[in-house]
Amino acid sequence: MQTITTRHGMIPVAQAPATYPDGSLRACLPAGPCVLNTPVGQLVPQFTARELRKKEVRPITFHPDGTLQALPLESQRVIPSAAGSIPAELLTFHADGSLSRVFPLNGRLSGYWTQEDEAELARPVTLLTPAGILTTTLIGAAFHPSGTIRSLTFWPGQTVSINTPAGMVDTRIGVSFHPDGQIRSVEPARPAAVETPAGEILAHDPDALGINGDSNSLAFHPDGTVSRVITIRTRLTAISPDGRLATFAPTQRESLCGDGEREMIPMSIQFTPDAVIITQAENAPPVHIPLEGHVFFTAPWLSGLAGGLPDLRCTIC
């Protein structure tokens, strides 16, 4: 066993560490106990793998300049942050050394350790966020280099009511914030009516993956106006200056379950200062429609009705 020297402390290793092309340290596996000096205090990296949920030692990784990038911990520790104290089993850091992400749990799921097993270890955390005091069970919290919250990712099944520029929205998966603290995006737990430059749209994406809360289906510009909305319940019609109509609605695809079942494909609508950008399917080319001179209508859309519902809401730009 040898010991390698890092800018954060000495690390005993049993095998050769991974390096960048220039020879600088990229990753290593601790072979024994050690204490590293980090921006959030002195911490002991994971060096044992005796638990069912931790069958192997996770590597410590470093940025090219030698600062910490990812640090798995031997045991859960409470970490200070600008939003409050958060329990952590895994930390990541920005290249400037500031805290990037905190993960309260870091177990590896397998046939012997399930999400339900891991969930039994999860505990609610109370944080002071730009949206107010929130108490929920977290998969992780992310921070801007300045220390302000970038996003919160909720544990599956958790729903939190968030005060957004569009009003209170019951939110699943997560919420993200601009650097100045304004709401950047939320993932509506159920269809939420929001006003946009094209009219009222029901925001909801049943296919949202929930990997993290960084980017969600209802997003806002820093000034609070809607920048993006994903929907399966709204049809959008645009009337051009020469009177031509273009109608866009969520489309369908064959269900992964087969048996001839069909399921909706969420439609993405983005808003820039000059245009509305519609993407009807993941691989479909986006359609850009200038705001100037166009009239937009929205209407509820049900896939079982060929024309949707007749009530229209109009916005003239």
Side-chain angles (χ1 to χ4, degrees):
M1 185 167 63
Q2 62 172 322
T3 300
I4 58 176
T5 302
T6 75
R7 65 164 59 186
H8 299 279
M10 309 286 286
I11 304 174
V13 297
Q15 54 185 275
T19 59
Y20 287 101
D22 64 0
S24 59
L25 179 64
R26 182 174 185 174
C28 66
L29 293 172
C34 62
V35 177
L36 298 185
N37 296 308
T38 79
V40 292
Q42 292 188 325
L43 300 172
V44 177
Q46 182 192 359
F47 65 93
T48 63
R50 295 188 293 263
E51 300 178 18
L52 187 61
R53 61 189 289 268
K54 291 185 178 181
K55 290 185 176 181
E56 60 185 40
V57 176
R58 305 286 184 93
I60 306 171
T61 62
F62 298 84
H63 291 287
D65 67 351
T67 57
L68 279 170
Q69 183 179 57
L71 179 63
L73 302 181
E74 175 68 7
S75 59
Q76 191 179 74
R77 288 283 304 274
V78 175
I79 302 300
S81 77
S85 298
I86 307 174
E89 287 188 351
L90 172 66
L91 304 171
T92 68
F93 299 88
H94 292 290
D96 66 359
S98 58
L99 187 64
S100 177
R101 294 185 186 271
V102 179
F103 299 91
L105 298 175
N106 189 34
R108 174 161 291 180
L109 304 184
S110 68
Y112 303 98
W113 188 261
T114 66
Q115 179 175 299
E116 290 71 24
D117 293 323
E118 191 80 346
E120 291 183 2
L121 302 177
R123 297 291 180 268
V125 176
T126 298
L127 298 175
L128 178 59
T129 78
I133 296 176
L134 301 182
T135 299
T136 187
T137 305
L138 294 177
I139 288 179
F143 298 87
H144 293 286
S146 64
T148 60
I149 292 181
R150 187 170 80 226
S151 69
L152 298 174
T153 304
F154 309 143
W155 197 263
Q158 294 284 302
T159 300
V160 180
S161 187
I162 304 290
N163 187 13
T164 77
M168 299 299 294
V169 175
D170 289 339
T171 301
R172 67 188 182 103
I173 297 177
V175 54
S176 65
F177 302 90
H178 290 286
D180 66 356
Q182 298 298 314
I183 298 281
R184 181 177 181 180
S185 68
V186 295
E187 192 59 55
R190 55 192 59 86
V194 297
E195 287 296 333
T196 76
E200 185 180 272
I201 296 175
L202 286 173
H204 186 230
D205 181 5
D207 291 345
L209 295 178
I211 296 174
N212 59 52
D214 290 2
S215 181
N216 303 292
S217 61
L218 175 56
F220 302 91
H221 293 293
D223 66 0
T225 57
V226 174
S227 64
R228 181 184 68 252
V229 60
I230 295 177
T231 183
I232 61 167
R233 299 287 186 89
T234 300
R235 179 186 68 195
L236 173 66
T237 299
I239 304 177
S240 65
D242 60 6
R244 289 179 299 169
L245 272 70
T247 299
F248 306 88
T251 56
Q252 292 184 323
R253 64 190 170 204
E254 184 175 350
S255 171
L256 295 176
C257 298
D259 298 327
E261 294 291 331
R262 308 287 291 177
E263 61 186 14
M264 300 302 298
I265 300 176
M267 179 172 69
S268 171
I269 306 172
Q270 293 179 269
F271 301 95
T272 71
D274 304 315
V276 177
I277 305 169
I278 303 117
T279 305
Q280 288 181 279
E282 184 177 355
N283 297 321
V287 178
H288 292 67
I289 301 178
L291 281 170
E292 185 175 357
H294 282 79
V295 179
F296 294 89
F297 295 95
T298 61
W301 173 257
L302 296 177
S303 60
L305 301 177
L309 296 178
D311 295 336
L312 298 177
R313 298 175 178 86
C314 174
T315 294
I316 300 177
C317 299

